[in-house]
Structure formats: C-alpha cells, structure tokens
Amino acid sequence: MTIELEYMTGFGNEFETEVLPGALPIGQFSPQKVKYDLYAEQFNVTAFTAPRCDNRRNWFYRIRPSVVQGEYEAIDNALVRSAPITEVVTPPSMLRWDPVELPTEKTDFIDGLVTMAANGSVNGQAGIGIHIYAANSSMEGRYFCNADGELLFVPELGEIILHTECGKLAIKAGEIAVIPRGIKFSVELLTDTARGYICENYGQPYVLAERGPVGANGYANDRDFEYPIACFEDKQGDFELVTKFGGNLFRCDIGHSPFDVVAWTGNSAPYKYDLSRFNVINTVSFDHPDPSIFTVLTSPSGTPGVANIDFVVFPPRWMVAENTFRPPYYHRNMMSEFMGLIEGVYDAKEHGFVPGGSSLHNCMSPHGPEAEVFEKASNAELAPQRYENTMAFMFESRYIIQPTKFALEGKTRQPNYSQCWKGIKKKFKG
Ligand SMILES: [Fe+2]
C-alpha cells in the first residue's frame, strides 16, 4: 500500500501553509488576536541569536498552546539509552549485528525502540544516538517528543506515516525523513510490521553536504526534499505525551491531540527525501574515491570538515574505474562508522551483513573487504559494471561510538564477525 500525500519542496525553505484561509497573519507573527481565535507559538531549534543562515524557527497558529498539558513523571527508559554510555565498556573491536527481531506482542513505535549505540554527550549537545525501531502497531492516543535531538528515520521494512505538528509525511524503505528536535509526532503503520534505523542527532541540525568544484548541482539536490502541508485535528481524549529529555523518558497526560496546528510558517519542519533521487557522482578514471562523496546530510561539529554526523548512502550505480580495486579499500580512520543495510548486498561484505543488520567500525579500528571479496575483486575483469538492488548507509561521526549493553551482550551480536578476514593470506613475493 502506498499513500500519496501533498508536500512542499525545497530544503530549509521559509514555508507557509494554512488549512483555513487567513489563519496565517500577514506581515507579522504575533498579532493581538489571531484569526479563528488560534494561539500563536514560536518554535526555535536554534538559539534566537544563531546567524541568519543557520537560524531555524517556526511560528505555529494552533488551537491550544503547548503549555496545555499535564505534569511530567519519569518512566522506565526500557532499552532507550543516551550518550555517554556507561553501562558497558566500549571495545575497539569490529562489531556486527543481525537484525533486531520483529515483535510478536502488540508493540508500537515507542515500545519497539532500542538503542544500539551512542556517542558524545546528550546534555552537551554533541554526538548521536543510534536506535532501531521494530513495531507492529500504530501509536494510539500517545505522542512522542524528543528534546534531545532531531531524528533521522531510515526505514528498512514497511511503510509508516509520521503524523507531526506540521503535517504528515509517508515514508518507506528507500526514503528517509528527519523530525526536528522537539516536534511532537506519532507513528502510524501502513503495513503489518515496520522496522528501521534512527539516527538521533544531538548536535547542529542537518544541512546538505557542500559540493565544492562539482558546482551548483548534484549529490542531494535541494528541490527533492519534501515538507508537509498543515493538517490539523481537533480531538479531545485521555492521551499521553512521552518526552525524551536529558537522556530519560517522561510521560504526561495530554487531554487533546497536539496535532492542532491550523497554519504554520518557518524553516524548521520535518522533511522527507527519496534516496533514489541522490545524484551519485564517482570516478570515471581510476581509484576508489572516499565514501564522503555519498554524503546526503551532514551535521557540522564546529571544526571545518569534521562532522558531528554524516549520513552517507551507497546507492545503485555504475562502476567503471580502470586498473582499480573497486570495493572499499582496507582502511583505518579517525572517524567512527556505523553501517546499516536497507536493501540487497553491500559490495565489501557479501556474507553476514543483511538488510536490517548493522556493523560498527570505530575510530582507528581496521576494516575493509572480507577475504572472499578481496580475492574476487582483485582478479575480476574490469568491464563497466552496474551495482543493482543495493542500498547501504553509514552514520559517520567524529566521536567514538559506544554500543549499548543490549548491542554488546544481546543475541543479535555476531560473535565471530572478525572471522570474515581470517582467510586473508600472505601473498608477498619479495
Ligand atoms: Fe570505513
């Protein structure tokens, strides 16, 4: 089942959208009275004083302001964790995991959220949390709000609708969505089950990667990012708001749907992107360029070129490099790399890395093609070759990525992962 929703386009544009005519004030944000007796509310994901080019904020015109909610109480964090991870020691080992199992009991998005790893500091607003969701039920009468960072959804299985204060986004495998820090949302399943990866970005909001000498077009193009149109519901009931704040989960009663925004304007709204629109740029001569050429979104860290988090994809593409070892080269790297697979096979690992699975190669931990892939690729006839039905991705960060206890000691970990390199032979004939 695929649902078609209406969207506005253009990365980070100053959008305006209203369900009822005239709900958006003209020429000002906060008139003495708003049309239809709505409340005006500003929503900032950057400091008021952030430079204009980085500044992100919305104005909502809503049925009730967000202060109309109950008192928070702490609830069990279940398997949700935040950085720094202190429950287990982070080893420098290369790590890999099988997919998280799909639930058999009724499980919604919040129930089915498990943290695989995190880095940096949630309270220091640097680093990321890496989660997996696995659900078989829509969120009914409950809403989620993450004060700790924006959420990048990378679906692997199923199709979901993200209902948000700004409107609705439908996403499925092969697409991504980003929900800004603090935007309330709920997840509706359009399929019996849904599973995917989430990168929670504690740092600066994502921007599009620079293009350098490539020029004015290419990679992820601004016009392909889609934003929801305003869409409100006027609904009362015994509902629940779950908020992640400072690394912990809290709940409060909320007597109405928070999706009561009749009109909004601004540049800090949820958005989606179809990864098949990524304009892949690669060598037409020789050598394997660094994977940074596949960066879709990046969150800068303050040090030029050293990202808090890069979201990198490995899409279908042609390989034409001459006299070149075509899979990813063996390497060790200052950056830490968490990978997942949405579809098919990743070219460095033909065995054991499956859709829904994950791998982690931390700062300076060696990695690269498994033994069999090396043998095949170093002896292959180098005709132009099309990589089809594949979509791997990487969350790459400057901070050491710390797996959780669930990830290190749970049953999804593949204990013998490093065996994939055991068959590498000494070939030296000096
Ligand atoms: Fe790597």
Side-chain angles (χ1 to χ4, degrees), residues 18-26 31 33-36 38 61 262-263:
E18 59 185 16
V19 184
L20 301 176
L24 274 176
I26 304 289
K33 280 183 185 295
V34 179
K35 198 168 175 184
Y36 304 109
L38 296 168
Y61 300 95
V262 176

Side-chain angles (χ1 to χ4, degrees), residues 291 329 331 333 337 339 346 361 367 394 396:
Y329 39 70
H331 70 286
N333 186 8
E337 306 176 3
M339 286 193 68
Y346 173 60
H361 306 115
H367 54 287
M394 179 160 66
E396 179 167 341

